[in-house]
Amino acid sequence: MTGDRFARHALIPGWDQKRLAGATVVLAGAGALGNTVAQTLALSGLGRLVVCDPDTVAVSNLSRCPLFRAADVGRPKARVLAEALTDLAPDTVVDAREAPHLSGAGLAELRAADLVVGALDSRAARIALAGRCTLAGTGMLDGGTHAWGGEVSWFPPGGRCWACGLGPAERAVQDDPWSCAAPDPAGAVGASAPVSALVGTWLADFAVRLLLGLSVPDAPLRIDAAGLAVPLSGTAPRDRPDPDCPLHERLPDGVPVLPLDHGATVAELLDHVDMGEEPLTWAGFSRPVRRRAAVPAVTSRLRSAPASARLSALGVAPREVLPVARRDGSGLRYVELAAKAGEPVGAPGESAQERRATTEGAR
Ligand SMILES: [Zn+2]
């Protein structure tokens, strides 16, 4: 094949194909919005996409997901999406994580990413992603749809997060993502091909603009029920964080990187912490059921897990940064899991977005 796949991009003022080819995006959600976002970013020449989704393809997805086929029903959405993109845009490296974002992409990976895109279907998953983006210092682009419209919002690092403005009760809602494959998913809402494609493409357009260093609107944008695009009134995301929002802690600089990855065992991790310390997971896991125990309790304390259990099997993401609490309650520190051999690694400390802002500011 001769010619340049991106020849028409080169004619656009402000377009930088090399910059897109060098960029990494973490995408949370491979449903209808995630399909369109992934497809459009790959066609645009994105270098690397990490996509997280624990769900499998259902028949009802086929009306809105351009990358899924009937033969894919029952297969993992993230894997099917990655396979489809290999055909469509072979230069884009797609890393499929068949897990929720909390177990799919670690904080060091979010920190090294140029952008995180949320294409999620629950408030709880969005709140968790907002908190992790804040910890990692990476901006979050979020999209959602409703029956005849949807919203796209950009939350830059250091500003308001998706959960700012929610009350404590709203933040505590555990509307866990439902599976499309469930026989009668209780959380299912109306959705259509045109609205999913419209909002997904809008998300991808904002993502490309951000990756190219171009501006996006300050206020969230909504496509209303009449099909009109309108800015949402109220506080813009760039404003200062809500002082009552608990999601604005930032990982400290200089977190030590351990010589083990998320395939290590609990015993191997415990070799790297003091006896008086309790390493924790973000996702939590079911504690082994002891004799006569009624219900397996969910815990985040790794000392409760079997010593031979692998961290990945307990929901620990690749390149995760784990909190380590002092068992006497006197404090907390963090440890970072190393990348596997061959995985791309960003510089420690500041996020990719902050590094880029510093570089651009120096020009
Ligand atoms: Zn917030």
Side-chain angles (χ1 to χ4, degrees):
M1 187 169 65
T2 58
D4 178 5
R5 175 184 283 253
F6 303 117
R8 298 289 290 273
H9 290 173
L11 303 176
I12 302 172
W15 195 279
D16 184 342
Q17 200 64 54
K18 278 189 182 164
R19 188 161 170 167
L20 283 181
T24 295
V25 169
V26 175
L27 171 63
L33 281 184
N35 258 247
T36 298
V37 169
Q39 176 176 261
T40 310
L41 289 180
L43 287 173
S44 301
L46 177 72
R48 184 164 178 263
L49 181 70
V50 178
V51 58
C52 307
D53 198 310
D55 206 2
T56 54
V57 178
V59 174
S60 64
N61 297 136
L62 300 178
S63 62
R64 289 166 294 117
C65 298
L67 299 174
F68 298 163
R69 301 288 177 268
D72 298 320
V73 170
R75 300 184 64 222
K77 287 180 177 177
R79 194 189 313 169
V80 173
L81 182 148
E83 289 171 1
L85 290 184
T86 302
D87 227 21
L88 191 70
D91 292 337
T92 300
V93 175
V94 185
D95 202 338
R97 311 281 170 82
E98 295 164 23
H101 70 81
L102 199 55
S103 299
L107 288 171
E109 231 172 358
L110 298 186
R111 186 184 62 205
D114 295 275
L115 183 66
V116 175
V117 180
L120 297 161
D121 57 13
S122 87
R123 178 183 286 172
R126 282 191 171 88
I127 291 172
L129 187 62
R132 287 173 70 74
C133 285
T134 305
L135 275 165
T138 300
M140 170 178 162
L141 185 61
D142 179 79
T145 58
H146 49 82
W148 282 103
E151 287 176 24
V152 173
S153 311
W154 163 236
F155 302 95
R160 287 171 69 83
C161 78
W162 191 88
C164 278
L166 297 181
E170 292 171 305
R171 287 195 195 99
V173 169
Q174 286 301 313
D175 57 339
D176 288 335
W178 42 273
S179 169
C180 295
D184 184 19
V189 294
S192 69
V195 165
S196 297
L198 186 63
V199 176
T201 308
W202 207 356
L203 262 178
D205 177 63
F206 276 31
V208 167
R209 292 185 63 87
L210 289 163
L211 294 173
L212 292 176
L214 305 173
S215 64
V216 298
D218 281 354
L221 290 179
R222 170 178 283 171
I223 299 168
D224 67 15
L228 293 170
V230 291
L232 273 182
S233 57
T235 313
R238 284 180 202 277
D239 290 357
R240 287 143 82 85
D242 178 349
D244 295 326
C245 178
L247 301 182
H248 292 273
E249 190 187 339
R250 177 74 192 271
L251 287 177
D253 292 335
V255 173
V257 182
L258 303 183
L260 43 88
D261 60 41
H262 81 141
T265 63
V266 170
E268 288 168 328
L269 174 71
L270 293 178
D271 281 344
H272 293 276
V273 299
D274 295 337
M275 285 300 293
E277 291 184 319
E278 179 79 77
L280 306 169
T281 71
W282 296 101
F285 56 91
S286 295
R287 203 161 47 194
V289 183
R290 294 205 165 81
R291 273 183 302 155
R292 293 185 173 274
V295 182
V298 173
T299 181
S300 58
R301 295 172 180 272
L302 280 166
R303 287 187 187 277
S304 302
S308 61
R310 300 212 173 270
L311 299 176
S312 55
L314 300 173
V316 174
R319 297 190 59 203
E320 187 58 284
V321 178
L322 294 171
V324 180
R326 295 286 311 170
R327 296 172 92 177
D328 61 7
S330 64
L332 188 78
R333 70 181 180 103
Y334 294 92
V335 294
E336 181 175 326
L337 300 179
K340 283 195 166 148
E343 275 182 21
V345 183
E350 59 185 3
S351 71
Q353 283 175 351
E354 288 166 335
R355 279 198 304 283
R356 201 167 58 203
T358 308
T359 312
E360 284 172 354
R363 276 180 196 159

